[in-house]
Amino acid sequence: MPDRQLGWKQALVDYVSVVNEAGLLGDAKAFRRVPDPYHRMRLVRRAEALEERAALVRFKPIRSEMKARLLRYEAKETEVAADLQLHTVRSYEQDRFPWLEERVEKERIRLIKSGTRWRVDGIEPIATEQHPLPMAHANRELVDEYGWPSRPVLPSIPLIKTDAEVPARSKVYAGPGTSGSWEDGYERSMPYRREEAVAYAERWWDRPNPAFENFDVNCTNYVSQCLFAGGAPMNYTGRRETGWWYKGRSGGQELWSFSWAVANSLQHYLSAPRAFGLRAEAVDSPRQLQLGDVICYDWDGNGGYQHNTIVTAFTPDGMPLVNANTVSSRRRYWDYRDSYAWTEQTRYRFFHLIDEF
């Protein structure tokens, strides 16, 4: 048994080495040693997109390190299924100024034994940025301002716990036309504390805050937490299809707005004009963004946004670096050409948050 385990684990090590080396070289041809043709195609498409980026930007990768962690596996005599976590740290440089980008990806890998040797037979990413929060059996005729049905049947996802780590000074606005407010009500002229939003994004980029539920598709939940940590007041309406809020449980019922956790809904919420509360203005260029601002991603270019990130740093020439969840990412270049979800049709929305709520 030890010899058999050593064989398939060595095949995993060899695969990780190939991917790490090819990623640093940035050459699509370097992936020819990846055994699964479908995954090889994914990696090649990503490498080609990065080659196109290299023609547009002035920074270059100078070092790459990939750490692999075996999360779980099921082993048989001639077949193994293993879940692998890949933590990639890459160093980039522009005008002699270096920075680090980090990413945590998970893959499910199938290995088979052929004769006396083990080889990788299939590779599938466990999570990517291209899938929105699922909504089952929705009545598509009931579509509200956020682009979602008014009364969908949603997956069961618990909400905030009682010991949530959130800013003590945050207030909650009930919204016009609603009865009453939650917590202390809305306090005018609250500043957006951009540094605190970024600090929260940096602390929790690679692990969930235990005060909140960690969704399978967690990008928008994570961004909402960051905005809330920066002082953005919740707009509690009591209706999941309106406002921006995350209240918790009541009688076993989960209470959170679509805009808190669904990528397309947050994009719609930030697009809508309002006199106070969480507000943003759409700008034309990523260069116009500041720390704590938000970028939304429409991979297919059809108007449905599937991913959100928060700006946490900048390159020397002023381009945003972003943090995100689902695929946990820290200081990743804003255009996401290195995502499996990216396509030539990808469209972006750049939201600059108003400095006072």
Side-chain angles (χ1 to χ4, degrees):
M1 183 66 176
D3 292 340
R4 184 166 70 248
Q5 284 195 4
L6 179 63
W8 66 259
K9 288 182 178 179
Q10 184 60 50
L12 285 181
V13 170
D14 294 342
Y15 161 68
V16 172
S17 298
V18 167
V19 174
N20 185 46
E21 177 186 348
L24 180 60
L25 293 174
D27 182 0
K29 296 179 181 178
F31 289 109
R32 62 185 178 275
R33 288 186 289 153
V34 173
D36 180 351
Y38 297 103
H39 192 59
R40 187 189 313 135
M41 187 180 303
R42 294 187 197 101
L43 292 169
V44 167
R45 282 199 299 260
R46 181 161 71 178
E48 290 173 346
L50 291 178
E51 286 180 7
E52 293 177 5
R53 175 204 280 173
L56 302 174
V57 301
R58 295 186 296 107
F59 67 83
K60 61 180 180 179
I62 56 178
R63 184 178 179 183
S64 180
E65 178 183 357
M66 182 176 288
K67 297 179 180 179
R69 178 186 172 193
L70 185 60
L71 300 177
R72 59 181 295 273
Y73 68 89
E74 295 181 3
K76 298 180 181 179
E77 189 68 26
T78 59
E79 182 178 334
V80 174
D83 287 355
L84 197 65
Q85 176 178 286
L86 302 175
H87 183 175
T88 304
V89 181
R90 287 217 171 101
S91 300
Y92 291 92
E93 185 179 73
Q94 185 181 71
D95 299 333
R96 297 185 178 180
F97 179 86
W99 71 89
L100 293 179
E101 171 193 300
E102 295 185 72
R103 191 180 323 163
V104 178
E105 297 176 290
K106 297 177 182 179
E107 296 177 348
R108 183 156 295 146
I109 301 177
R110 178 175 177 264
L111 304 102
I112 60 174
K113 190 176 183 181
S114 178
T116 60
R117 297 177 61 86
W118 285 90
R119 64 179 178 84
V120 173
D121 183 62
I123 306 165
E124 186 71 28
I126 293 178
T128 71
E129 296 96 351
Q130 63 192 122
H131 300 296
L133 193 67
M135 304 183 72
H137 308 298
N139 184 342
R140 301 304 297 179
E141 296 178 358
L142 301 175
V143 178
D144 71 349
E145 61 177 310
Y146 303 116
W148 291 106
S150 297
R151 293 178 178 83
V153 178
L154 290 163
S156 177
I157 302 176
L159 293 191
I160 194 170
K161 300 178 182 178
T162 56
D163 59 348
E165 180 179 324
V166 295
R169 298 188 300 277
S170 291
K171 307 295 182 181
V172 180
Y173 169 61
T178 62
S179 57
S181 62
W182 182 44
E183 301 291 348
D184 297 324
Y186 178 67
E187 187 176 280
R188 295 295 187 91
S189 300
M190 293 175 60
Y192 180 33
R193 301 184 295 274
R194 296 179 181 274
E195 293 78 9
E196 293 185 27
V198 171
Y200 186 98
E202 290 282 274
R203 179 175 181 181
W204 299 108
W205 75 272
D206 63 341
R207 63 192 189 281
N209 181 345
F212 292 83
E213 180 69 15
N214 185 39
F215 301 169
D216 288 338
V217 180
N218 201 57
C219 62
T220 307
N221 176 40
Y222 168 76
V223 168
S224 289
Q225 290 177 36
C226 295
L227 301 182
F228 189 43
M234 291 189 192
N235 176 3
Y236 175 64
T237 65
R239 299 177 61 215
R240 302 188 73 179
E241 65 272 16
T242 63
W244 179 73
W245 54 274
Y246 193 141
K247 187 173 181 179
R249 283 183 176 269
S250 177
Q253 183 180 4
E254 296 140 353
L255 302 173
W256 50 274
S257 67
F258 299 146
S259 58
W260 182 278
V262 180
N264 198 47
S265 295
L266 178 60
Q267 185 273 144
H268 277 280
Y269 189 81
L270 294 177
S271 299
R274 56 184 58 87
F276 38 79
L278 176 58
R279 294 173 296 149
E281 60 178 351
V283 295
D284 297 327
S285 167
R287 293 184 182 276
Q288 297 173 267
L289 297 176
Q290 298 180 21
L291 293 175
D293 286 342
V294 174
I295 303 178
C296 305
Y297 301 76
D298 169 11
W299 307 122
D300 306 311
N302 60 8
Y305 287 80
Q306 298 170 288
H307 187 56
N308 294 313
T309 66
I310 184 168
V311 177
T312 55
F314 292 91
T315 63
D317 65 349
M319 284 299 192
L321 302 174
V322 299
N323 284 28
N325 265 194
T326 302
V327 174
S328 296
S329 303
R330 176 177 181 264
R331 301 199 173 185
R332 189 170 174 177
Y333 194 70
W334 70 271
D335 68 3
Y336 260 65
R337 285 175 177 260
D338 54 2
S339 169
Y340 295 135
W342 190 88
T343 71
E344 294 287 350
Q345 289 73 44
T346 295
R347 299 293 180 267
Y348 309 91
R349 293 213 74 186
F350 308 110
F351 285 105
H352 170 64
L353 271 70
I354 303 302
D355 290 328
E356 291 190 347
F357 301 118

